[in-house]
Structure formats: structure tokens, C-alpha cells
Amino acid sequence: MEEKSYIKGKLYKQIYRNEMNGYMVGLFRVKESNVDIKEDIINITGVLPILDEKKEYVLYGNIVNHNKYGRQFAADSFEIVLPTKKEELIVFLSSDLFPIGEKTAQKIVDTLGEDAINKILENKDCLQLIPRLTEKRIDRIYNVLKDYQNTSSVVLELTKLGFEMKESLSLLNRYDNKILDTVNTNIYSLIESDEMPFVKIDEIAINMGIEETDDRRVKALIIYVMKSLCFNNGDTYLTNEEIAFNLSSYVSITPEKFDYLMMELIKEKKIIITEGRYYLKKFYDAEKYIAERLCFLNDMTVTGNTDINRHIDNDKFNKISYDDIQKKAIYAGVNNNITIITGGPGTGKTTIIKAIVRIIMKEQKLKVSDIALLAPTGRAAKKMMETTGIPASTIHKYLGWDKDTNTFEVDEYSPNGEKYIIVDEVSMIDTLLMEALLKGIKRNAKLILVGDYYQLPSVSEGQVLKDLIDSDCLPVIKLNQIYRQTEGSYILNLAYDIKEKNISEDLFLKKDDYLFVNGNNDNTLEIIKDIVGRAVKKGLTDRELQVLAPMYKSINGIDNLNIMLQEIFNPKSDKKREINLRDVIFREGDKVLQLVNDTDNNVYNGDIGYIENIIVSDGKKVTNQININYDGNVVEYTPDKFGNFRHGYAISIHKAQGSEFDTVIMPITPSFKRMLYNKLVYTGVTRAKKSLIIVGDANSFIYGINNDYVDNRKTTLKDFIIDKYSV
């Protein structure tokens, strides 16, 4: 049988495409061929799917000579080349199909080379060369590869539709061979697990010929619009009007059809409508569950009456004298089933947590394993651990969060068994995370929630701490007295003045720990550069100094600040390797900020680390890699994870929540005006421990203090709690 003609390589450029029948004309960069082709790039034609310029293909067909366009390769079929390059192989072997992670995949490719897949298929025992790879896993890898050969046609169909290789593999893993039926029946059902973004699914669906007003599409659009609005606004419910208005920018339908599809979504148990409030079911269920669980705890009989006085009166060990409110907070935390402790910086929240831990361990003979100290961020958890001397954890780690499926291993069916749960920085906790936490602890565990009512609310949906306190139904201790104050210190007074909107000349007068420097949109960056430069000459490093800003863009935004600060703290050097990512230079020694939770590597959103070393690809065996050190925890980043961090010399005030820094520099200029409001300024100021410098425009500073903009989030957790006690 005569061998079919083929060319192997990548699409260089698409010139023409007929969306009706898929006929395309393009330029193809040829890497290998079994026909006589001297040129590196050749014209191709044929009915083909949208080819990804990053993927390698084999096109089958014939060389033809066109009267007008000359030599062309007329393709009649194609296939995607199985991964052979190291980076692609690592992505493939660490996908959902295989029982191994990225590090093991890297070791397999390093050991077996670019022909790893064929070597495994020829003799699976070659995997015994990989350390700590069990027989069971070896068998699984081998069997998956065999099955993959048999199901490659399914993956091929998915990639023809426009899915990436990794997406196709993930879908195949979740749906097995039923995936094509699912796609053809209702491709929009793929967004229900939140694995696939609506925009991607919608693009593929439209290319498949689904009409814009198809009921399946519009229902998916309604859910997409509701999710987007809830996330962007922090709401847990919406109104009919705002959903309809935002939906109209995507599709035009009659009010009657809108109402009909809403009823369909109710029948499908995707949304809930009550009293004019339109909820995504998960938010309604979460608020109801939180209210039920906390009211259950509050109503449960208090069994303990531990005497705290002998531990806290004349506390010589810690040299601390507690006032009556602090004693009340400690007593409540030790004895109540649920206690909420709120107060601003310096009011003793951390000291109270430490006292509660010490008393319950001594009086109730509790072990460390009986107490869970939790916080939403790694830095806040570390602070709790340093204060109390016992382990603390992020909530995500405590609940066994799986980042791939966005689910928790610990839930109401297999809760953790600690007797006391103490949670700090509760203002940062969103509705779904609070629901997950309550499901992950015993129903009778004592719960102590600590946070600052006046700080920014959570990034995601809800305002849990505010709603709990505003319900006025649960035990709340409000700390008002400032204790963490040294003589000559002004920062904490400034914070409380901002909170109370007390505008005075003190805002602009130099203090021992505070300085306001006049600047405008045009010169603020240079002023900060000068201040930081002088600070460095005095011996300050970027470990002690942190720049905080409200926005990423604009002339004085975080992006520009980071470029400038990198040159001061970590200038270019022949001794430091560097790499260009997304038009940003990262070099060894750079300060970076983690952007996502990564429980596998014990690094979390908001953690700050330093680039320890950069491995630059040689284009053959060695792939790009960046190793970042987070306080002794070195995390390896391969190219698919390079988007998980950014420079950390300047960070947003939102990202700084839960953290404190010795010296904070904060630009406040007219260009930030739309982002300046009381809670944001207050939160930024309260991040400074020893020194605060504000650079910018006095009027903008005053505007931010007086701007009482609050998120005004639409939530019903408070109402649900009140309803429990109004019957």
C-alpha cells in the first residue's frame, strides 16, 4: 500500500476561513515531510478545524500546483501529534488522566526523555526508574496510555471543536466516552462544574451552529451573568432588573421569554427566587446553612464555666493587664459555644487569642490536637502560630481543598474533630468558604470568630463578619480601647481618625512614625523613588518596606511601581539570571506575590516570597523553571504555573489584608480617585507597624476619608439569622 503524503509542523498563519464549511487557506511551517518540499513554509488548503498555532499537526493530502498561487498542500485529513517536547509531555502526564503530579511527571520526562510515552507503552517496567513510583501507579499510567490510544479519536474530535489538549483530556476524564454525546446534547452543561469558562464554551457552541437565542444558550447566559454580577459586586442575590439589563448586552429576548427561562432554571434547581430576590442556589443554600449552624451553636446549652481570673489577673508571665472588656472576651471565648470578637488594630485581639488558648489547654487539659487555629491567608495563620506557639493553618489547607475540582475533602460527612475552632481575620472570609468551614467541623465544636468589622470585606461574595455582627443575635464582644501604642506613635490614632472621619491638620503633620509628602499625578512616582532610595541607604530592605496602592494601572499604579522598585531593590546584574514573562522581567532575588491558593505546595494567595533561582530553557532538554522561596518553603514553578505570581515590591491594599509590614508607603493621588474610599484607606493605613508614609494629594486623601462608599453588598445572612429568632 502506497504511503500517504504528509507534512508535519505548525500553523504559521491563517489567511482565510469559511465559517460555514470550515474551508481554510493558511501558511504552514514544515518540520518534517515525506514529499519533496524545499521551502520551510508552504501554503495549505482544505476543510480543517481552527488550528492552534501552538500545537503540532500532521496533515495528510497531496502537493498541488495552483495556477495563481503556485505549490500548495491540499489537506484532506489531519491528526494532532502526541506530545513529544518536554514541556508538552509534562503538561500531558500531569493532567487529570494520570495519578501523578507535576513533579513526578517532570521526573519521568527527565529520565525517559521525549520518547517517554512510546517507551512506557513498549515496556512499563521502565517506570521503575522513577523514585517512589508504586507498582499500582505504574500500572495505572500504562493502562491510561493504552486507553488513550483507543480514545484519541474522542480527544481529536474535541480539539477539532476548539478545546485545548489539556481541556480535552480533562473532559474525557470526567465524562469518559459520553463526552461527545454531552457536547452534542447540551454543550453548555459543561460550565456547571465551573471547570470550563462560559466564554470558551459559548465560542465553541456558536461555531457548532447553536443559535444565539437557543434556550440552552440563554439559560447558560443567565447563570453566567448572575455569577459575574455576584462576584463583581460581592452580592449573594440580585434583582430581576439588573439581571435582565446585563443579559441584554449579550442577547435580545422578550420579557416573556426571560420569565419563562427563569422558571425553567428554578425547576432545574439552579436558581431560587424569593421575595423579589434572585439567588444562585449555592448562595441561598450557603447563607441558610451558615445561619442554621451558628444559631444551633448559639442555642446549645453552655456546659462549661471555666474561671479565667486566676490565669489573667496579675499575669506576670506575659506582663499583661486586661481591662474588663478584654476579660469578657476571654471568658466568652473559653466558655461560650460561639463568640465573635471584633476590634481595630491595637485593641488586643491577638493577645486575647493567646490567652484563650493558654487557658483552655491548662484548665480543660486540652491537647494541641483539640484546637484548630485558622485564618484565610498563610501570613495570618503564621502570625497566629507565632503568637500562640501552636500550629495554625489556612482554612483551605485545613479542609483539604482540591484546586483542580474546587472541592473540599473535609465536609459534613467527614468533619474534623477539634473541640475549639479559633478563626482570625474573619472579615476576609466569603460566604461559600464560611459554609465549607462550618461543614468541616463538629456540630458541637466551640467557635471563636475574630476580625475587624471596619476592614474591607471579602474579595468574593458575601460580608459574613458584618452580617453576623449586624444581626445583633449572636454574642459579640467589641474591643474599643487601643493598647498597642508606644509613646510618640501616631499610626493607630490616624487609623481611628480615618474610621471616624476626623479631619484635622494632624493628617499632614510629621510625626515620629508618620509622614505625609505632597505629590501629584506626575511626580508621585519620582518622590517614592527618592524616599525608597534614601531608605535603602539607611539599611532598609524590601523585607521591611512595603508599597501599597489601590490600583494596578495608571501612572502611579502597582505595575509601574514594581518596575521602578525592582531597579532599586534588585537591579540587573550579570550574576543574576532573568526571564521575560508577559513583557515583565523577573530576575533572581526578586520579591514576588503568590496570586492563587496552592495547597499541594503549601503556598497561598497573598504569600510573599523571593525568587531563589531561574532555570532558562535551552530549547532541548532543559525547560524554563522558577524556584521561589517562601520563608524556607521552596516552590518550583514550571511554565504552566508562571501566571501564579507577580512582583511583590508593590501590592494592592486588598492583597495586603491579613498582613503587617514594618514600613508602609502608600500613594494617594487623583488618578486613584474612583478607588479611594474610607474602608480602603483605613485598611491600608492599618497594615503599617512602625512607620507609615503617604505620598500624594491632600484633597485626594481627604476625599478618600470622607467617601463613605461601602460595597453595599446585597446579602441575606443577617436576615436569615434574625428570622431564626423572630418566630
Side-chain angles (χ1 to χ4, degrees), residues 306-362:
T306 299
D307 180 15
I308 66 167
N309 290 319
R310 66 193 187 91
H311 293 281
I312 63 176
D313 284 346
N314 302 315
D315 190 340
K316 293 177 182 177
F317 179 75
N318 287 302
K319 298 179 181 177
I320 296 170
S321 176
Y322 301 94
D323 68 17
D324 289 342
I325 296 292
Q326 290 176 317
K327 288 179 183 178
K328 185 180 177 183
I330 295 168
Y331 180 85
V334 170
N335 291 293
N336 286 359
N337 296 316
I338 177 171
T339 306
I340 300 168
I341 301 169
T342 184
T347 55
K349 298 190 298 295
T350 303
T351 304
I352 288 168
I353 291 173
K354 183 177 181 179
I356 291 170
V357 169
R358 192 175 73 250
I359 291 169
I360 61 178
M361 290 185 74
K362 284 188 177 181

Side-chain angles (χ1 to χ4, degrees), residues 569-585:
F569 286 115
N570 193 30
K572 187 177 180 65
S573 167
D574 293 338
K575 297 178 181 178
K576 296 175 182 176
R577 285 185 289 270
E578 58 183 45
I579 189 171
N580 189 320
L581 305 177
R582 308 177 299 277
D583 294 326
V584 176
I585 299 294

Side-chain angles (χ1 to χ4, degrees), residues 13 92 209 304 488 501 667 677:
K13 185 180 180 182
F92 177 65
K501 302 194 194 69
Y677 57 98

Side-chain angles (χ1 to χ4, degrees), residues 63 349 379 448 664:
I63 292 286
K349 298 190 298 295
R379 291 175 71 84
I448 301 160
V664 166

Side-chain angles (χ1 to χ4, degrees), residues 89-207:
L89 270 173
I90 292 165
V91 171
F92 177 65
L93 290 172
S94 60
S95 70
D96 295 341
L97 283 176
F98 298 94
I100 56 174
E102 193 177 297
K103 289 181 181 177
T104 305
Q106 175 95 42
K107 287 174 185 173
I108 290 173
V109 176
D110 287 344
T111 304
L112 302 181
E114 292 188 5
D115 199 30
I117 292 174
N118 288 331
K119 286 179 180 176
I120 296 167
L121 287 169
E122 287 170 10
N123 181 8
K124 66 180 180 181
D125 290 339
C126 67
L127 287 172
Q128 291 178 353
L129 297 169
I130 312 303
R132 294 187 294 279
L133 203 56
T134 63
E135 281 292 334
K136 188 175 180 181
R137 284 189 168 189
I138 289 173
D139 287 341
R140 173 83 188 278
I141 292 168
Y142 174 74
N143 290 330
V144 167
L145 282 173
K146 279 184 66 179
D147 290 343
Y148 176 74
Q149 282 187 314
N150 299 329
T151 58
S152 60
S153 59
V154 176
V155 175
L156 184 62
E157 285 299 315
L158 292 172
T159 53
K160 280 183 184 179
L161 291 173
F163 290 103
E164 300 290 332
M165 166 71 82
K166 194 169 184 179
E167 292 168 341
S168 301
L169 294 169
S170 179
L171 290 171
L172 183 62
N173 187 47
R174 176 178 277 272
Y175 295 91
D176 296 322
N177 288 329
K178 297 175 185 174
I179 179 59
L180 291 179
D181 288 337
T182 302
V183 167
N184 290 322
T185 303
N186 183 9
I187 188 172
Y188 289 101
S189 66
L190 300 181
I191 68 172
E192 290 175 11
S193 65
D194 288 331
E195 281 188 63
M196 288 283 170
F198 172 83
V199 174
K200 174 75 179 238
I201 295 297
D202 194 43
E203 181 184 333
I204 294 171
I206 296 296
N207 285 337

Side-chain angles (χ1 to χ4, degrees), residues 156-343:
L156 184 62
E157 285 299 315
L158 292 172
T159 53
K160 280 183 184 179
L161 291 173
F163 290 103
E164 300 290 332
M165 166 71 82
K166 194 169 184 179
E167 292 168 341
S168 301
L169 294 169
S170 179
L171 290 171
L172 183 62
N173 187 47
R174 176 178 277 272
Y175 295 91
D176 296 322
N177 288 329
K178 297 175 185 174
I179 179 59
L180 291 179
D181 288 337
T182 302
V183 167
N184 290 322
T185 303
N186 183 9
I187 188 172
Y188 289 101
S189 66
L190 300 181
I191 68 172
E192 290 175 11
S193 65
D194 288 331
E195 281 188 63
M196 288 283 170
F198 172 83
V199 174
K200 174 75 179 238
I201 295 297
D202 194 43
E203 181 184 333
I204 294 171
I206 296 296
N207 285 337
M208 289 171 63
I210 291 179
E211 296 290 332
E212 285 194 355
T213 54
D214 187 292
D215 284 2
R216 295 168 298 177
R217 179 177 188 264
V218 180
K219 283 193 292 185
L221 259 174
I222 290 170
I223 298 297
Y224 171 67
V225 164
M226 290 181 72
K227 283 181 179 177
S228 299
L229 285 172
C230 285
F231 180 78
N232 293 335
N233 301 333
D235 297 333
T236 56
Y237 74 87
L238 303 162
T239 64
N240 177 297
E241 292 75 20
E242 63 185 320
I243 298 169
F245 176 77
N246 282 274
L247 183 68
S248 66
S249 63
Y250 294 93
V251 66
S252 178
I253 57 172
T254 64
E256 292 75 21
K257 182 166 183 177
F258 176 78
D259 291 339
Y260 164 74
L261 293 177
M262 279 293 187
M263 292 304 108
E264 288 289 299
L265 288 168
I266 291 173
K267 290 177 188 175
E268 294 168 14
K269 297 184 177 179
K270 292 177 181 175
I271 68 169
I272 288 174
I273 304 175
T274 176
E275 298 180 2
R277 297 166 177 158
Y278 286 64
Y279 298 84
L280 289 166
K281 188 174 183 296
K282 63 181 179 179
F283 293 128
Y284 180 87
D285 290 346
E287 288 193 325
K288 279 286 190 183
Y289 183 84
I290 294 167
E292 184 275 323
R293 283 285 278 109
L294 295 184
C295 292
F296 170 83
L297 267 180
N298 192 39
D299 295 340
M300 198 170 66
T301 303
V302 176
T303 55
N305 188 20
T306 299
D307 180 15
I308 66 167
N309 290 319
R310 66 193 187 91
H311 293 281
I312 63 176
D313 284 346
N314 302 315
D315 190 340
K316 293 177 182 177
F317 179 75
N318 287 302
K319 298 179 181 177
I320 296 170
S321 176
Y322 301 94
D323 68 17
D324 289 342
I325 296 292
Q326 290 176 317
K327 288 179 183 178
K328 185 180 177 183
I330 295 168
Y331 180 85
V334 170
N335 291 293
N336 286 359
N337 296 316
I338 177 171
T339 306
I340 300 168
I341 301 169
T342 184

Side-chain angles (χ1 to χ4, degrees), residues 362-505:
K362 284 188 177 181
E363 281 290 327
Q364 301 180 25
K365 310 299 182 190
L366 296 185
K367 303 187 292 291
V368 170
S369 58
D370 292 321
I371 305 166
L373 298 183
L374 305 173
T377 68
R379 291 175 71 84
K382 185 181 178 186
K383 181 182 169 186
M384 290 181 84
M385 185 164 59
E386 290 169 348
T387 301
T388 62
I390 68 173
S393 167
T394 64
I395 297 170
H396 282 83
K397 185 176 182 181
Y398 175 73
L399 297 176
W401 181 62
D402 184 328
K403 65 178 181 292
D404 294 324
T405 59
N406 194 27
T407 57
F408 295 99
E409 180 184 328
V410 178
D411 55 22
E412 66 266 51
Y413 306 110
S414 56
N416 287 322
E418 290 85 358
K419 296 176 182 177
Y420 276 82
I421 314 296
I422 304 176
V423 191
D424 199 8
E425 299 289 351
V426 177
S427 64
M428 298 176 67
I429 299 177
D430 61 76
T431 300
L432 296 181
L433 185 57
M434 178 57 81
E435 178 196 30
L437 173 59
L438 294 175
K439 285 182 176 180
I441 62 177
K442 293 194 305 181
R443 282 186 72 81
N444 63 347
K446 290 182 182 290
L447 183 63
I448 301 160
L449 303 175
V450 183
D452 186 346
Y453 179 92
Y454 291 97
Q455 270 194 187
L456 292 168
S458 58
V459 173
S460 296
E461 302 85 355
Q463 47 185 8
V464 172
L465 181 64
K466 183 177 187 301
D467 279 353
L468 298 186
I469 293 172
D470 288 350
S471 73
D472 206 23
C473 296
L474 304 171
V476 177
I477 315 296
K478 296 180 180 178
L479 308 172
N480 298 311
Q481 185 68 39
I482 303 175
Y483 290 94
R484 196 187 72 208
Q485 184 110 0
T486 58
E487 193 171 339
S489 172
Y490 175 68
I491 295 172
L492 293 184
N493 283 333
L494 172 63
Y496 284 93
D497 282 345
I498 289 169
K499 187 177 81 172
E500 300 298 330
K501 302 194 194 69
N502 291 332
I503 308 294
S504 71
E505 64 177 11

